């Protein structure tokens, strides 16, 4: 059988014959192919397409992996946020504070659940929400906080939980990028009233389609979320409330059950690759490497560097077959979707500066040492030309 190419075919091939895709989901599939194929075949044999035994097994295993009492699986990570806000009883006019620097799922779901999105700026070194700016944004209408453990780095949970306690606010942690990250020894996802995860294929734990989950230690929240995600009733025909349809399908759960036992090793591989980048990319031009806050364990969903030459560096790498990404090119308050809020760069100076300077380099457990060597050499070559 011919070998299946493991990188996307549209990348240019460098003179060295090397290509570095931003991520390589096919390479990860190949490491687990027999088990994943068998899990899918079993689901087909059982016709367990929506929920079913694989879904229930995954919910138990994921709650255990995070260390929460409950896990409610959902169709994706965005729904998990929406469901959490509905479960917490968000009402029209309620204000919810989240990060100016995130994926739009963190904020659009606040609006969809009836709340008012209030953005807070980010920390200049960690990219996570700045507790001092949260404190400035709290009003008598504030109901909750949504810290995002962005790029895999835990937000400053001590300060955030202290603010929540002082002002009687709930906290939903957006852990979509931070599976198994820890803050002062405690797993993210266990600090707030609830936390949400995404298993989008490119996430640190990825399905082969959309998938997500909400975790909580709160029995009442769990019960509401489990009902709400299934048309308002845990069992067909017993609809206690009106809900939505946000169920995890059996094939995705079967795949996640194969992958979950590997998550800890994949996380260590990401951390070790990041240490390698840290050591080899330090002191080059104006390149700023990801800072890790004291007492936090970053899981490097994204390895984001900063440079004033971001766009030129990205083009240099792309021309040599190295893909990079910008997460995110426009900070949330400045997106057309939030024009109604009338924000200007001066409102979020840190998030605004970062949107033109951050670049995400390829980092995933399957990347090869040769690919890393090539990438490091090309970053150095770019900065070897005088770039102050
Ligand atoms: C991926 C992501 C989500 C949403 O997850 P989906 O599964 O794609 O719906 C939410 N928040 C953040 C920060 C994300 O990165």
């Amino acid at each position: 059988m011919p070998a299946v190419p493991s990188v996307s075919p549209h990348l240019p091939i460098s003179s060295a014959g090397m290509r570095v895709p931003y991520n390589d989901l096919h390479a990860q599939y190949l490491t687990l192919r027999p088990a994943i194929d068998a899990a899918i075949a079993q689901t087909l044999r059982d016709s367990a397409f929506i929920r079913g035994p694989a879904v229930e097994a995954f919910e138990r295993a994921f709650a255990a992996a995070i260390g929460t009492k409950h896990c409610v699986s959902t169709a994706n990570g965005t729904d998990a946020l929406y469901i959490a806000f509905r479960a917490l009883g968000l009402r029209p006019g309620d204000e919810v504070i989240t990060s100016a620097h995130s994926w739009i799922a963190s904020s659009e779901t606040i609006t969809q659940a009836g709340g008012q999105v209030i953005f807070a700026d980010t920390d200049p070194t960690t990219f996570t929400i700045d507790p001092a700016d949260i404190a400035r944004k709290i009003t008598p209408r504030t109901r909750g906080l949504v810290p995002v453990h962005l790029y895999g780095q835990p937000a400053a949970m001590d300060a955030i939980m202290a603010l929540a306690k002082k002002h009687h606010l709930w906290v939903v942690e957006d852990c979509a990028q931070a599976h198994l990250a820890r803050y002062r020894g405690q797993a993210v996802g266990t600090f707030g009233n609830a936390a949400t995860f995404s298993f989008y294929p490119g996430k640190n734990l990825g399905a082969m389609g959309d998938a997500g989950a909400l975790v909580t230690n709160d029995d009442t929240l769990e019960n509401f979320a489990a009902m709400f995600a299934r048309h308002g009733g845990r069992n067909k025909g017993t609809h206690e409330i009106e809900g939505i349809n946000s169920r995890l399908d059996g094939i995705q759960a079967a795949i996640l059950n194969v992958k979950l036992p590997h998550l800890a090793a994949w996380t260590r591989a990401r951390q070790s690759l990041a240490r390698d980048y840290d050591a080899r990319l330090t002191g080059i031009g104006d390149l700023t490497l990801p800072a890790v806050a004291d007492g936090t364990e970053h899981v490097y969903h994204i390895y984001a560097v900063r440079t004033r030459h971001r766009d030129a560096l990205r083009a240099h790498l792309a021309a040599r077959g190295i893909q990079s990404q910008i997460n995110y090119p426009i900070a949330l308050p400045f997106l057309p979707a939030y024009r109604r809020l009338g924000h200007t760069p001066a409102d979020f100076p840190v998030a605004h500066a970062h949107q033109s300077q951050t670049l995400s380099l390829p980092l995933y457990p399957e990347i090869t040492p040769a690919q890393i060597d090539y990438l490091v050499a090309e970053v150095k070559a770019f900065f070897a030309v005088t770039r102050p």
Side-chain angles (χ1 to χ4, degrees):
M1 220 169 76
V4 185
S6 71
V7 292
S8 29
H10 56 271
L11 274 176
I13 300 183
S14 73
S15 52
M18 185 73 74
R19 296 190 291 187
V20 189
Y22 181 72
N23 200 350
D24 193 344
L25 299 178
H26 191 70
Q28 184 177 85
Y29 167 57
L30 291 181
T31 67
L32 296 172
R33 190 175 197 164
I36 287 176
D37 290 359
I40 293 172
Q42 183 66 46
T43 312
L44 301 187
R45 234 172 358 252
D46 296 346
S47 296
F49 298 121
I50 300 292
R51 293 202 56 90
V55 172
E56 280 165 26
F58 178 70
E59 288 177 335
R60 283 192 300 274
F62 194 69
I66 302 303
T68 53
K69 194 168 168 194
H70 305 290
C71 167
V72 177
S73 61
T74 56
N76 55 67
T78 305
D79 280 1
L81 284 162
Y82 173 70
I83 292 165
F85 303 147
R86 293 295 304 263
L88 286 157
L90 202 61
R91 287 184 202 293
D94 288 351
E95 294 178 358
V96 178
I97 302 175
T98 192
S99 179
H101 185 162
S102 185
W103 175 240
I104 193 168
S106 311
S107 55
E108 66 187 351
T109 47
I110 294 170
T111 309
Q112 283 151 9
Q116 298 289 321
V117 180
I118 307 292
F119 291 112
D121 207 359
T122 43
D123 180 276
T125 60
T126 62
F127 301 106
T128 56
I129 194 165
D130 177 2
D133 205 38
I134 295 178
R136 286 190 283 274
K137 301 285 166 68
I138 291 174
T139 75
R141 290 177 303 282
T142 310
R143 291 291 169 270
L145 306 178
V146 184
V148 183
H149 304 303
L150 196 78
Y151 297 166
Q153 164 128 268
M157 293 312 293
D158 281 350
I160 291 166
M161 295 311 294
L163 283 169
K165 190 164 178 215
K166 182 170 165 201
H167 297 278
H168 308 288
L169 309 174
W170 47 253
V171 174
V172 172
E173 297 170 73
D174 183 343
C175 303
Q177 303 187 0
H179 315 69
L180 303 189
R182 298 179 88 79
Y183 179 84
R184 301 200 195 291
Q186 185 180 337
V188 303
T190 62
F191 288 86
N193 302 64
T196 62
F197 287 84
S198 167
F199 310 113
Y200 177 81
K203 296 288 162 79
N204 287 18
L205 176 62
M208 292 179 166
D210 274 315
L214 176 156
V215 299
T216 183
N217 287 320
D218 182 323
D219 296 343
T220 309
L221 279 187
E222 186 271 344
N223 191 45
F224 182 96
M227 289 196 301
F228 188 73
R230 292 181 233 165
H231 296 291
R234 298 187 86 119
N235 304 303
K236 264 187 190 160
T238 60
H239 308 279
E240 298 183 28
I241 52 173
E242 289 179 316
I244 61 170
N245 175 3
S246 184
R247 300 173 297 215
L248 180 60
D249 72 66
I251 288 179
Q252 300 310 331
I255 292 164
L256 288 167
N257 283 331
V258 173
K259 288 190 170 194
L260 181 58
H262 299 275
L263 179 60
W266 286 335
T267 303
R268 287 192 296 274
R270 285 178 178 275
Q271 290 167 333
S272 145
L273 289 161
R275 293 287 86 77
D276 199 28
Y277 274 157
D278 287 347
R280 297 171 69 185
L281 295 175
T282 190
I284 300 176
D286 74 335
L287 204 61
T288 304
L289 306 180
V292 181
D294 252 12
T296 68
E297 217 179 288
H298 195 319
V299 295
Y300 297 98
H301 172 57
I302 287 174
Y303 188 91
V305 299
R306 276 183 292 144
T307 166
R308 278 176 285 115
H309 309 290
R310 193 266 310 273
D311 295 336
L313 173 61
R314 185 165 195 238
H316 173 97
L317 297 175
R320 287 155 185 83
I322 301 169
Q323 280 181 339
S324 59
Q325 263 188 15
I326 299 173
N327 306 94
Y328 298 92
I330 304 177
L332 295 175
F334 312 125
L335 286 168
Y338 293 106
R339 198 171 284 137
R340 66 176 188 274
L341 302 179
H343 285 305
T344 65
D347 296 338
F348 306 97
V350 177
H352 186 260
H354 285 171
Q355 72 180 20
S356 58
Q357 297 179 352
T358 54
L359 187 67
S360 310
L361 300 180
L363 187 158
Y364 41 94
E366 300 77 21
I367 199 168
T368 66
Q371 286 174 313
I372 297 269
D373 290 348
Y374 177 59
L375 183 147
V376 167
E378 284 303 335
V379 172
K380 287 183 175 167
F382 172 79
F383 283 102
V385 183
T386 309
R387 291 181 210 272

